[in-house]
Amino acid sequence: MGAKPKPGGKLWSGRFAEPVSELVKRYTASVDFDRRLAPQDIRASLAHAHMLRAAGVLSRGDLRAIERGLSRISAEIEAGRFRWSLAAEDVHLNIERRLIDIAGNAGKRLHTARSRNDQVATDLRLWLRDAMDDIADLIRKVQRALLDQAEKHAATVMPGYTHLQVAQPVTFGHHLLAYFEMLERDRARLADCRGRVNRLPLGAVALAGTSFPIDRARVARELGFEGLSDNSLDAVSDRDFAIEFCACAALAMVHLSRLSEELILWTNPRFGFVTLPDRFCTGSSIMPQKKNPDVAELARGKVGRVTGDLVALLMLMKGQALAYNKDNQEDKEPLFDAADTWRDTLAVFAEMIAGIVVNEAAMRAAAQQGFATATDFADYLVKKGLAFRDAHEAAARAVRHAEESGRALEQLPLAELRRFSKKVDRDVYRVLTLEGSVASRSHAGGTAPSRVRAAIKRARTALRRT
């Protein structure tokens, strides 16, 4: 079986004349948070062992002992029976120490032609790849919820805003499709990032590769990597794949935060546009009437922590000379937090959006305020032959007159409208209606209900293809 490390000793402790300080053990240990990499560590170790056997570095008996040992460790971890040790510092050494306990010398041979440097880089990429696939599925789930609501409300008129002031009428379906597009770009960025994540670092070893006859391509195929990290120094030392993922997460969370802000506004009685399901809201400890949109508020707040995760990783890397440095132990907590927060937010939003109840009457009433069809009046005059700047001035004067008289534009008699331009005729009232306004935007990307329905159809087709 071979000699085993002394209890509490390091697998690399032969170089040192005194044990590591207990304070240093606590300060440098990462096992409390990197133990979540255990499934990936075991997968990568098995692939490495298979390759070493094929290369003639391991015997058949060693490989069988390693496979049995790793299978047992996996079962212990899954059942919660595995004894994690602070003395073993991280997930990798904890698993290796237990493997040596079980498999003896075969366990010691597993680390041939690899280092914790390329091991952790591989495990982290495997973990992140799995997380990205989960997140991509959740993005699609949120997108489908948006499409379902947009289809119900392809013709539901609401005010479109700029500067949070009434601008022009739009449909609620069109408004929701804007978030679909944001999420579609988030999904595309994630897919693009995944290609750079999915490169195998294993085989770089500590920094310079190895003299053993390894077959990195074989390991890549077994683990589902699309290619190899081409430079051993770069493979073990950079974390730009994690930084890029956090950048994707931060931007996606900004998009969800914008939707959160709108949900918070829309549920306010002053708007009253939507009602959220009770299960996504909370009450007040002293005000019995309150129904607070806490989920949306918390999501709006969580964008700060994910952006902080991104900044933390950027600062982590900025001063590191090649190759691996202990600093990189600090890469995991921000990465895990960003992935967990993004994933949890998407999961809750998918259900919350699906449960939204829309108050169409409140939306319509709001769209009738603020002279939302003033631009339609100006466009009408342009089509009658007036230059746009002159039409804009005429419409602005008509708005001021309507505002002073306490009426909407469409409530002004024809004679009064003609005061602002002789080109006004009775057909002007068709363009001053909310339905006429949105229906006239029938170009690609417009808010006309027909265009909204066509966009929904294209979006559903695109989702089915991915």
Side-chain angles (χ1 to χ4, degrees):
M1 293 289 286
K4 297 180 181 178
K6 296 176 182 178
K10 299 287 187 181
L11 291 175
W12 40 260
S13 59
R15 165 67 176 81
F16 296 85
E18 62 177 346
V20 175
S21 157
E22 290 300 317
L23 176 61
V24 171
K25 283 182 186 178
R26 290 194 300 273
Y27 187 69
T28 61
S30 59
V31 68
D32 285 344
F33 54 83
D34 69 13
R35 67 175 66 177
R36 71 191 296 176
L37 296 175
Q40 289 75 26
D41 193 75
I42 291 170
R43 281 165 57 195
S45 291
L46 282 169
H48 183 65
H50 295 155
M51 181 274 295
L52 290 179
R53 169 60 191 145
V57 177
L58 287 180
S59 69
R60 186 178 290 105
D62 282 343
L63 177 58
R64 283 199 297 265
I66 289 168
E67 288 176 331
R68 285 194 299 267
L70 290 175
S71 177
R72 180 173 169 184
I73 291 168
S74 181
E76 289 174 354
I77 292 171
E78 191 172 341
R81 297 195 309 268
F82 189 86
R83 293 185 178 180
W84 297 100
S85 167
L86 192 69
E89 189 176 327
D90 59 27
V91 61
H92 321 290
L93 290 186
N94 267 271
I95 289 174
E96 184 174 350
R97 173 174 287 173
R98 179 62 178 141
L99 181 62
I100 292 170
D101 287 342
I102 297 169
N105 282 335
K108 291 181 180 180
R109 293 189 181 103
L110 175 60
H111 208 55
T112 305
R114 78 174 182 185
S115 161
R116 276 192 298 171
N117 294 357
D118 62 343
Q119 188 179 0
V120 65
T122 300
D123 294 354
L124 203 57
R125 285 173 184 263
L126 284 171
W127 181 89
L128 183 54
R129 189 181 71 188
D130 293 344
M132 293 171 88
D133 292 344
D134 289 344
I135 288 167
D137 287 343
L138 285 168
I139 292 174
R140 284 188 284 267
K141 190 173 181 181
V142 176
Q143 287 180 300
R144 284 192 289 269
L146 287 168
L147 291 178
D148 290 344
Q149 289 285 6
E151 195 158 36
K152 290 179 194 173
H153 299 287
T156 300
V157 178
M158 68 174 292
Y161 297 94
T162 61
H163 308 278
L164 205 57
Q165 304 295 315
V166 173
Q168 293 178 264
V170 297
T171 66
F172 188 52
H174 188 62
H175 193 109
L176 292 178
L177 287 181
Y179 287 103
F180 177 92
E181 294 297 331
M182 294 180 211
L183 288 170
E184 185 66 8
R185 293 192 296 275
D186 292 333
R187 193 162 62 91
R189 269 185 288 271
L190 188 67
D192 193 47
C193 176
R194 191 188 189 279
R196 284 179 286 279
V197 169
N198 204 27
R199 315 289 292 188
L200 177 72
L202 204 63
V205 198
L207 76 163
T210 180
S211 59
F212 288 94
I214 62 172
D215 185 351
R216 297 183 67 207
R218 177 193 172 106
V219 178
R221 286 193 300 273
E222 182 168 341
L223 293 174
F225 282 100
E226 296 170 32
L228 307 177
S229 299
D230 289 329
N231 181 281
S232 60
L233 290 162
D234 176 58
V236 298
S237 64
D238 207 345
R239 293 295 185 268
D240 59 354
F241 66 92
I243 294 170
E244 184 178 0
F245 170 81
C246 286
C248 293
L251 184 50
M253 286 295 294
V254 166
H255 289 152
L256 293 172
S257 179
R258 295 183 72 186
L259 179 54
S260 296
E261 174 67 7
E262 298 217 278
L263 290 172
I264 292 163
L265 289 172
W266 294 342
T267 56
N268 185 293
R270 284 304 219 178
F271 282 77
F273 288 178
V274 303
T275 301
L276 296 178
D278 287 353
R279 64 187 180 277
F280 294 103
C281 300
T282 63
S284 165
S285 61
I286 64 167
M287 295 171 284
Q289 85 282 9
K290 295 295 292 298
K291 182 179 177 181
N292 299 324
D294 277 14
V295 169
E297 290 174 3
L298 191 56
R300 186 178 60 182
K302 283 182 180 291
V303 69
R305 68 185 291 164
V306 176
T307 302
D309 294 331
L310 169 61
V311 173
L313 287 179
L314 286 167
M315 294 304 99
L316 174 71
M317 293 306 305
K318 76 172 185 64
Q320 289 193 41
L322 291 174
Y324 181 83
N325 297 278
K326 188 66 170 178
D327 311 45
N328 285 345
Q329 182 173 294
E330 292 294 303
D331 61 358
K332 296 167 195 64
E333 288 176 290
L335 179 61
F336 294 160
D337 182 69
D340 291 346
T341 304
W342 189 7
R343 184 164 39 198
D344 291 348
T345 304
L346 288 166
V348 75
F349 263 65
E351 289 192 34
M352 184 167 64
I353 291 167
I356 287 173
V357 176
V358 175
N359 185 338
E360 296 183 25
M363 286 186 174
R364 182 179 182 83
Q368 290 172 324
Q369 300 173 5
F371 307 98
T373 58
T375 303
D376 296 274
F377 185 35
D379 289 347
Y380 168 86
L381 294 174
V382 170
K383 291 172 185 175
K384 293 286 187 176
L386 207 60
F388 178 78
R389 284 302 169 201
D390 292 335
H392 184 281
E393 176 63 21
R397 288 189 288 110
V399 166
R400 185 171 63 190
H401 173 72
E403 188 174 40
E404 289 171 350
S405 62
R407 292 173 289 176
L409 277 176
E410 65 270 23
Q411 293 175 326
L412 296 178
L414 181 62
E416 289 186 38
L417 286 173
R418 286 179 62 82
R419 274 197 255 161
F420 307 105
S421 174
K422 296 301 181 184
K423 295 183 179 294
V424 176
D425 209 339
R426 193 165 298 279
D427 61 350
V428 71
Y429 293 105
R430 287 201 297 271
V431 306
L432 294 181
T433 65
L434 297 177
E435 284 73 21
S437 175
V438 296
S440 69
R441 269 72 179 172
S442 60
H443 52 75
T447 191
S450 60
R451 285 293 184 173
V452 171
R453 293 186 182 100
I456 292 168
K457 185 177 179 180
R458 287 194 303 274
R460 291 196 190 280
T461 300
L463 282 181
R464 282 194 293 270
R465 288 175 181 163
T466 56

